[in-house]
Amino acid sequence: MRNSIYTLLLLFLFTSVDAQEYLKLISEADKLYETKDYNMSTDLYDKAFKIESSNPNHLYNGACASSLAGNTKKAFKWLNLSIEKGWTNLKHLNSDTDLESLHSKKEWGETIEKLEKKLEFIEANYDKPLKAELLTILEEDQKYRIQMDETQKKFGQDSKEMNNLWKITNQKDSINLLKVKKILDEKGWVGKDKVGAQANSALFLVIQHSDLETQKKYLPMMKEAVKKGNANPSSLALLIDRIEIREGRKQIYGSQIGTNPNTKTPYVLPLIDPDNVDKRRTEVGLDLISDYVKNWDLIWDVEKYKSELSELEKLNK
């Protein structure tokens, strides 16, 4: 099972055209992995990494595909490169069944030792109590949201079960927000160099799930944190989109999805300049919008979207 929980920043050092080609190759490689065509998936990852090879999650996923394809040499090459570029989930690495074919090789022990030493060095300067607090907040933020898709499918969006789930979630959000506000006001936007990537992500998620005034209050702090490398540009893009929509403007990156009250179907909330949305998404490390909207079983058709945009804007007023 590949690591896909957290999407790290793409540090693209090439043109927008190359970036979009890279993401298309990664997307196709992912699809082939899902259909268990591991050889072809590995070939497409290889083509993508010839364009760019700085995203640790993509490198890790490529290692998984090549391991399943029986290409041990390439699997270790990409796995070690993913660690060099910032992939640090040792627990996942040890339990990932995709990589079982590598366990009997002498390079496996060397790879594990390499990551353990890197983690020891990185975590030497961690604020461990704060990390533990933020990880608890992260767990509380996600615990009930993870249940929502299954609960909605089983009981319906307006069911008693969904209402109860939202009630608990809102209560937890209120408690988490008080804790996160205190951290931000006293310590600022603490970076992953102090608490790790997972704990750092809790700050964004709690603010993303808060009220509009709170989001606006901490938006400048998050922008400054992105400049310093203490927050992800992709996360900032999501927060900006949410604020824009809440204030009655069009979103910029296409991250916010609404439900049509008439048809009960999902749609991309009003978006500026739809033709260039992938360029903007690529610049902040987000995947292509055509891949993103598949999470809601949508097919991205930019011409169709533009023709419907005026009607979509009316729905959002």
Side-chain angles (χ1 to χ4, degrees):
M1 182 172 62
R2 306 175 308 152
N3 177 48
S4 58
I5 298 174
Y6 294 94
T7 303
L8 303 179
L9 168 63
L10 289 173
L11 297 176
F12 286 122
L13 300 176
F14 48 99
T15 69
S16 175
V17 173
D18 285 338
Q20 290 184 46
E21 176 61 21
Y22 168 85
L23 287 176
K24 286 178 182 176
L25 287 167
I26 292 293
S27 176
E28 288 302 316
D30 287 344
K31 291 174 189 173
L32 288 164
Y33 168 92
E34 296 297 339
T35 60
K36 300 185 179 182
D37 189 346
Y38 302 122
N39 285 304
M40 187 60 71
S41 177
T42 299
D43 288 344
L44 289 186
Y45 276 121
D46 195 33
K47 288 180 181 178
F49 298 152
K50 282 182 170 64
I51 298 174
E52 169 60 23
S53 58
S54 67
N55 184 286
N57 279 349
H58 293 167
L59 287 162
Y60 182 89
N61 292 344
C64 289
S66 54
S67 171
L68 291 166
N71 193 329
T72 302
K73 183 177 180 181
K74 196 156 284 185
F76 276 116
K77 176 184 176 182
W78 291 342
L79 188 57
N80 279 282
L81 190 54
S82 75
I83 292 170
E84 290 174 18
K85 299 297 182 180
W87 198 88
T88 56
N89 196 332
L90 179 61
K91 181 179 179 181
H92 187 90
L93 178 62
N94 276 314
S95 63
D96 196 337
T97 55
D98 282 0
L99 303 175
E100 282 183 351
S101 66
L102 307 181
H103 290 190
S104 61
K105 312 298 181 184
K106 67 179 180 63
E107 294 96 328
W108 180 255
E110 295 169 357
T111 300
I112 295 295
E113 184 180 0
K114 177 181 180 179
L115 181 52
E116 287 175 339
K117 287 182 177 179
K118 181 173 183 176
L119 287 172
E120 185 180 346
F121 176 78
I122 291 172
E123 294 178 4
N125 295 317
Y126 274 11
D127 183 334
K128 291 182 174 64
L130 180 57
K131 176 188 175 183
E133 181 183 2
L134 284 169
L135 287 176
T136 300
I137 290 171
L138 177 63
E139 182 182 359
E140 290 295 311
D141 181 89
Q142 293 294 296
K143 184 190 297 183
Y144 300 101
R145 286 182 165 87
I146 290 171
Q147 302 173 29
M148 285 185 178
D149 278 348
E150 186 177 341
T151 303
Q152 182 175 325
K153 288 175 183 175
K154 187 174 182 180
F155 299 104
Q157 186 173 345
D158 300 320
S159 64
K160 179 180 71 175
E161 288 80 5
M162 276 296 291
N163 289 334
N164 288 338
L165 203 53
W166 271 115
K167 184 177 180 180
I168 297 170
T169 300
N170 290 334
Q171 289 172 345
K172 295 292 184 182
D173 284 353
S174 297
I175 296 169
N176 286 337
L177 184 57
L178 291 173
K179 294 176 181 177
V180 164
K181 279 183 173 181
K182 187 173 186 294
I183 292 169
L184 293 174
D185 292 342
E186 292 179 0
K187 300 177 182 288
W189 204 287
V190 187
K192 62 183 180 181
D193 60 324
K194 296 298 181 185
V195 294
Q198 278 185 289
N200 169 258
S201 70
L203 298 173
F204 157 70
L205 287 170
V206 171
I207 296 302
Q208 180 79 336
H209 297 147
S210 68
D211 60 278
L212 176 59
E213 290 309 310
T214 298
Q215 291 176 342
K216 290 168 66 177
K217 175 183 176 182
Y218 291 103
L219 179 62
M221 183 184 289
M222 189 176 184
K223 286 181 177 179
E224 190 61 29
V226 168
K227 291 179 183 177
K228 295 178 179 178
N230 288 339
N232 284 340
S234 55
S235 298
L236 176 60
L238 303 188
L239 181 59
I240 289 172
D241 269 1
R242 185 159 291 195
I243 291 173
E244 293 299 294
I245 289 295
R246 281 181 155 186
E247 294 203 314
R249 296 185 292 272
K250 294 179 183 178
Q251 61 179 323
I252 299 168
Y253 302 98
S255 66
Q256 302 302 296
I257 308 295
T259 301
N260 188 315
N262 302 318
T263 62
K264 306 298 182 184
T265 56
Y267 68 100
V268 178
L269 287 165
L271 169 69
I272 65 166
D273 186 19
D275 287 311
N276 292 300
V277 63
D278 276 333
K279 179 180 178 182
R280 298 191 297 275
R281 290 177 65 87
T282 300
E283 287 169 352
V284 296
L286 292 170
D287 57 356
L288 300 175
I289 195 167
S290 57
D291 288 330
Y292 178 70
V293 299
K294 288 175 185 174
N295 293 311
W296 292 268
D297 295 323
L298 294 174
I299 297 173
W300 178 249
D301 182 334
V302 68
E303 296 303 326
K304 185 173 183 288
Y305 182 81
K306 287 190 294 184
S307 70
E308 296 173 348
L309 189 53
S310 60
E311 291 302 315
L312 297 180
E313 289 183 72
K314 292 175 184 176
L315 290 176
N316 201 45
K317 289 182 179 178

